[in-house]
Amino acid sequence: MKKKKNIAGRFLVLLKPYLFLSMALFLVITSISTVDAFFTYLSKIIIDQGIVAGNKQVVSDTLRLYGCIVIGQALLVFGLISLSGNIGERINRDLRKKMFLHLQKLSVSFYSRTPLGEIMSRVTSDSSKISELLSWGFVDSCWSGINIIVTMIFMFRINWELASFVLLLLPFMLLAAIFFQKRIIKHYRRSREVNSDMTRIYSENISGIKTIKALVREKKNLDGFNVKVGEMYKASYRAAWYSAFFLPVIQIIGSLGLGFVLWYGGTRSPETATGMTIGSIQAFVSYLFFMLWPIQELSRVFASMQNALAASERVFALLDQKVEIQDLPDARECPEIKDSIVFDHVDFSYTDKEMVLENFCLEIKQGTTIALVGATGAGKSTIINLVARFYEPGKGQILFDNEDYRYYTMASIQSKTGMVLQDPHLFNGTIRDNIIYSRLDASDEETMAAARGARVTDFLGDLEKGLDFEVGEGGTHLSFGQRQLVCIARILLANPEILIMDEATSSIDVRTENLIQQAIEKVTKQRTSIIIAHRLSTIINADVIHYLEKGRVVESGSHEDLIRKKGKYYQLYQHMELTEEVV
Ligand SMILES: Nc1ncnc2c1ncn2[C@@H]1O[C@H](COP(=O)(O)OP(=O)(O)O)[C@@H](O)[C@H]1O
Ligand SMILES: [Mg+2]
């Protein structure tokens, strides 16, 4: 219950800047409903005082009034639609801004444990459900509620006895409508869920067709698909079944009411206190049908509310997601590192279960290149994640020139580090856009120099527009190696103090690797560099090589030292030499 209140409170916060607009909207809705109900009342006057009484003047006067009101009503409807659309879009805009800002603040750890699809559905469909609920949900429920109230008032004016009868029936009609709507929406939602499952199965079957054929999985996959098709049929059929039931039930209720009104009005003389004129009977019948629509509408909003509330909870949960790594209140700019980066007895784990680093110590001297080698899962990437402060140590500290790096701002630390990762990331745009992404104020000469340094120029000649070649989304118009070179050019241009390379050459052919190798040598010169590589050529030149095993450094030294030692690195080296000869 507290949760619900909480959500209502947060809705109010979202609506607060548009309080005035919302009040205007409420006024417009009330006016529209009143005018709607008044139309029927006018026809009662035309029938009773005009047609039945034979007074043509009343007919033409009332019709004139009718015409004026129609124009007013048209304006009101315009106001209603534009106002509610406006409020909805404004809330949508506010939410989008808030979420984008928050997503940028969230730590890498959040992204590593939250599936991308989940985040995307929250920022797109869930957030628009909130604005829809706050605009159209509000409009529909107000409109329907006010419609029912105003209609009841007019009914009471015409005949209080009959109106009381309708008032008694009202809750039952609403409950019946909600009963059906809830079920329709439930099954409809289920069918959409199954539909997205089916889409996934289709796409996996199409993209993985070779594997499926090779493993002769067709029969099994078909069986799995058939189960989903069956579920889809069931859910859709039930939704259709309830819909098919719903309308006739509402019609029967309406017709029963109609019969009752005709019997009641028809059997009483118009002159008695509870008697009705022809116009009154006609108006009452109109009102009765007039009320059926808002009842359906209200029940629909009610039933779909749960859906929208669930979506809102997901959006608010995202906005409430704690930013795990934040600057300390008095964090300073990180000055240039003159001496070293030191891991001082660092403990670290991603989850509560398993420690990745325990009591880990490492010194990286300024200006040197260190290489980290070791089996997959040894903790190499974890170390660089910690250096870049994507994560922070659990225990112990990381010292930049003897000062815990937590005293420095994240932005100043991250602007010191340039990373080239295994999977080069390019943004949609030209090669030039991607290179200057790291330094927007770079001149053309500087950009060209970076491109030359990273050997991007070697393949630019093959592209029709050179630096202005569009790389496509994720850089798909370039080969993998070319993308990596563009990333290196980006780093060269940024000229960071610390260079980090995590298996930047592991999925690249030998020729491109040679290019990248030359680019790397250029970048690592005169700079603190941490390199993780599977390829020997990249490692040999490092000043110090650290061999890691299960989060511990078991051997350190230069290539020659470690070869002489004939330990673990020596074994790895022999193995690597063998495989690289094959390549
Ligand atoms: N985001 C993560 N969440 C949980 N565990 C992780 C995560 N990243 C890595 N690990 C675990 O931490 C250990 C070290 O991983 P990592 O540093 O990536 O190894 P390496 O780069 O040497 O292959 C592994 O056991 C891995 O399963
Ligand atoms: Mg790794």
Side-chain angles (χ1 to χ4, degrees):
M1 198 60 220
K2 188 166 173 289
K3 219 173 180 185
K4 287 253 162 73
K5 241 192 214 157
N6 196 354
I7 285 197
R10 302 189 73 156
F11 282 157
L12 283 183
V13 172
L14 287 176
L15 267 175
K16 205 171 160 208
Y18 313 114
L19 208 59
F20 181 73
L21 280 181
S22 309
M23 268 157 48
L25 182 62
F26 186 75
L27 266 181
V28 169
I29 297 171
T30 317
S31 316
I32 291 181
S33 299
T34 315
V35 173
D36 268 345
F38 193 63
F39 276 142
T40 311
Y41 199 72
L42 283 184
S43 58
K44 167 184 145 55
I45 292 176
I46 291 180
I47 293 173
D48 281 349
Q49 294 166 26
I51 299 171
V52 176
N55 187 341
K56 284 186 184 154
Q57 190 59 37
V58 171
V59 176
S60 58
D61 283 352
T62 316
L63 276 181
R64 219 167 287 134
L65 181 62
Y66 202 98
C68 293
I69 298 178
V70 165
I71 292 172
Q73 184 76 328
L75 289 176
L76 282 172
V77 169
F78 169 78
L80 170 84
I81 296 177
S82 59
L83 265 177
S84 65
N86 199 305
I87 294 176
E89 283 317 313
R90 280 171 194 246
I91 291 173
N92 224 339
R93 180 191 62 186
D94 294 351
L95 267 176
R96 283 188 186 128
K97 278 193 200 164
K98 257 194 197 154
M99 282 192 291
F100 196 84
L101 188 70
H102 194 66
L103 282 177
Q104 288 197 320
K105 279 196 203 148
L106 283 173
S107 320
V108 177
S109 58
F110 166 77
Y111 290 98
S112 92
R113 63 171 186 265
T114 318
L116 176 67
E118 200 174 290
I119 302 176
M120 289 310 288
S121 83
R122 286 183 195 204
V123 297
T124 53
S125 71
D126 283 348
S127 80
S128 54
K129 269 185 206 142
I130 292 191
S131 61
E132 244 166 59
L133 177 73
L134 285 183
S135 53
W136 290 110
F138 175 75
V139 169
D140 283 343
S141 45
C142 278
W143 194 351
S144 312
I146 294 171
N147 245 334
I148 292 176
I149 293 169
V150 172
T151 312
M152 281 307 314
I153 292 173
F154 275 90
M155 280 178 156
F156 268 100
R157 267 193 64 108
I158 296 172
N159 186 305
W160 69 269
E161 236 184 36
L162 208 46
S164 314
F165 171 72
V166 175
L167 189 62
L168 277 180
L169 276 186
L170 205 59
F172 295 103
M173 285 159 76
L174 254 177
L175 282 179
I178 290 175
F179 172 87
F180 280 105
Q181 292 282 20
K182 263 198 165 155
R183 279 157 185 78
I184 292 170
I185 287 180
K186 182 178 124 196
H187 292 297
Y188 180 59
R189 193 162 75 203
R190 175 81 197 123
S191 83
R192 267 187 318 193
E193 279 166 13
V194 180
N195 189 38
S196 77
D197 281 351
M198 286 204 323
T199 316
R200 181 183 52 75
I201 297 179
Y202 265 123
S203 87
E204 277 184 353
N205 261 264
I206 293 167
S207 60
I209 189 70
K210 277 190 186 159
T211 318
I212 291 166
K213 282 189 185 296
L215 297 176
V216 201
R217 281 276 310 196
E218 287 101 328
K219 170 90 180 61
K220 265 215 165 67
N221 288 8
L222 183 64
D223 290 347
F225 188 70
N226 280 342
V227 172
K228 287 290 164 197
V229 173
E231 276 178 37
M232 177 82 182
Y233 164 76
K234 237 194 227 159
S236 312
Y237 177 74
R238 284 198 181 136
W241 194 82
Y242 280 112
S243 304
F245 235 100
F246 182 43
L247 215 58
V249 165
I250 289 286
Q251 274 175 342
I252 286 175
I253 293 176
S255 308
L256 282 177
L258 170 75
F260 187 76
V261 171
L262 290 179
W263 168 80
Y264 180 99
T267 52
R268 277 172 178 72
S269 156
E271 280 74 40
T272 60
T274 52
M276 291 170 91
T277 59
I278 299 178
S280 300
I281 294 176
Q282 185 274 340
F284 222 95
V285 168
S286 300
Y287 281 135
L288 207 59
F289 280 97
F290 193 60
M291 253 167 63
L292 290 181
W293 177 79
I295 285 175
Q296 287 182 51
E297 202 50 20
L298 209 55
S299 62
R300 190 187 60 76
V301 175
F302 236 78
S304 61
M305 193 82 103
Q306 266 173 334
N307 218 346
L309 281 180
S312 324
E313 265 170 32
R314 285 193 295 268
V315 170
F316 291 139
L318 179 68
L319 286 174
D320 290 345
Q321 187 70 46
K322 243 179 64 204
V323 180
E324 281 146 295
I325 303 181
Q326 261 174 318
D327 284 341
L328 292 175
D330 50 354
R332 307 191 302 275
E333 282 276 304
C334 181
E336 194 183 323
I337 301 174
K338 297 232 161 59
D339 183 47
S340 62
I341 297 171
V342 169
F343 278 65
D344 178 20
H345 299 92
V346 168
D347 280 5
F348 179 79
S349 69
Y350 291 98
T351 54
D352 298 334
K353 282 178 223 137
E354 215 180 341
M355 293 302 264
V356 179
L357 300 180
E358 220 169 339
N359 225 351
F360 182 81
C361 295
L362 181 74
E363 185 181 29
I364 304 162
K365 277 277 174 209
Q366 197 277 332
T368 61
T369 298
I370 70 153
L372 301 174
V373 295
T376 308
K380 305 178 296 289
S381 302
T382 305
I383 292 171
I384 58 167
N385 281 337
L386 285 165
V387 171
R389 209 169 154 198
F390 289 149
Y391 296 87
E392 284 179 349
K395 255 199 216 138
Q397 35 187 346
I398 291 174
L399 305 167
F400 285 5
D401 285 348
N402 270 326
E403 177 80 319
D404 191 330
Y405 76 169
R406 271 176 280 217
Y407 293 122
Y408 299 132
T409 61
M410 306 254 298
S412 66
I413 292 176
Q414 275 153 10
S415 70
K416 277 187 191 308
T417 48
M419 286 193 146
V420 186
L421 302 176
Q422 186 171 12
D423 194 8
H425 188 87
L426 295 193
F427 297 93
N428 204 359
T430 63
I431 293 182
R432 183 195 310 277
D433 295 338
N434 270 288
I435 295 179
I436 65 168
Y437 199 87
S438 60
R439 230 186 81 206
L440 293 176
D441 60 353
S443 68
D444 272 357
E445 288 79 51
E446 287 171 315
T447 312
M448 248 347 248
R452 222 174 291 123
R455 309 297 298 262
V456 170
T457 35
D458 285 25
F459 66 85
L460 273 189
D462 303 338
L463 308 173
E464 49 186 274
K465 286 186 190 152
L467 276 184
D468 292 315
F469 179 79
E470 291 280 343
V471 300
E473 200 178 324
T476 42
H477 298 166
L478 293 178
S479 79
F480 197 86
Q482 290 171 336
R483 270 183 255 167
Q484 197 61 284
L485 290 174
V486 173
C487 284
I488 294 177
R490 183 193 287 161
I491 298 295
L492 264 181
L493 187 64
N495 195 19
E497 270 179 53
I498 307 163
L499 174 79
I500 291 171
M501 292 212 160
D502 192 351
E503 303 188 357
T505 54
S506 55
S507 22
I508 282 172
D509 61 280
V510 179
R511 199 184 77 85
T512 322
E513 198 208 338
N514 286 336
L515 282 183
I516 292 182
Q517 188 53 43
Q518 292 167 21
I520 289 177
E521 271 162 35
K522 184 146 189 154
V523 195
T524 53
K525 224 174 257 169
Q526 306 298 319
R527 196 189 308 269
T528 313
S529 311
I530 308 171
I531 292 178
I532 301 173
H534 283 323
R535 299 276 169 90
L536 210 55
S537 50
T538 329
I539 306 167
I540 286 180
N541 296 325
D543 297 304
V544 191
I545 299 167
H546 296 285
Y547 187 97
L548 274 115
E549 213 173 63
K550 293 192 184 128
R552 278 171 209 287
V553 176
V554 290
E555 275 175 31
S556 303
S558 69
H559 176 70
E560 286 76 26
D561 293 344
L562 292 180
I563 292 296
R564 240 176 278 131
K565 204 171 166 190
K566 292 215 158 73
K568 304 229 167 182
Y569 178 77
Y570 177 72
Q571 286 169 15
L572 181 80
Y573 170 72
Q574 284 189 321
H575 180 70
M576 280 196 287
E577 257 201 333
L578 267 178
T579 45
E580 292 199 4
E581 264 167 27
V582 177
V583 181

